[in-house]
Amino acid sequence: MVIAPDLRTVPGVIEVNSFGGENKQYQVVLDPKRLQAAGIGISDVIKALENSNANAGGGYIERNREHFVIGTEGLVKNLDDLRNVVIGATPQGVPITIATVGDAAFGPRLPGREPPATKMARARSCWA
């Protein structure tokens, strides 16, 4: 559960930092037999995942003395989005997705990384 955005709206909260606690990540589990049957390699899966979830800055447009920031945000928002990432297609044009060659699930973050938690700083009134 992400609570930092809600905490930032509390009057007097000036900063919210994440650290400690349990952290999960998306994990893709591939079936070697299904990969082989589809004629898909692991490098094809990696490339499709990178392309489907890339964030990119685009710059800004200035119009009527206003600046509009342009960019893209990764497309994967949930497990179904991840399962539906297209890796390739059959000779008949049928999409080959992550779900075709494996599955996606939430799992624990791999060792060696700090798990998240939340720390909050509040401003105190200085009025006498």
Side-chain angles (χ1 to χ4, degrees), residues 86 88-97 100:
V86 176
T90 67
Q92 296 78 25
V94 177
I96 299 170
T97 65
T100 307

Side-chain angles (χ1 to χ4, degrees), residues 53-101:
N53 203 36
N55 290 324
Y60 68 92
I61 296 174
E62 186 175 342
R63 183 174 178 190
N64 296 329
R65 297 173 51 188
E66 290 184 284
H67 292 268
F68 299 93
V69 178
I70 300 171
T72 63
E73 185 176 327
L75 301 176
V76 174
K77 304 284 188 229
N78 56 50
L79 290 173
D80 286 333
D81 287 348
L82 193 54
R83 291 178 183 117
N84 291 325
V85 169
V86 176
I87 305 164
T90 67
Q92 296 78 25
V94 177
I96 299 170
T97 65
I98 295 294
T100 307
V101 297

Side-chain angles (χ1 to χ4, degrees), residues 95-117:
I96 299 170
T97 65
I98 295 294
T100 307
V101 297
D103 195 19
F106 284 121
R109 181 161 299 280
L110 298 175
R113 300 196 181 188
E114 290 292 323

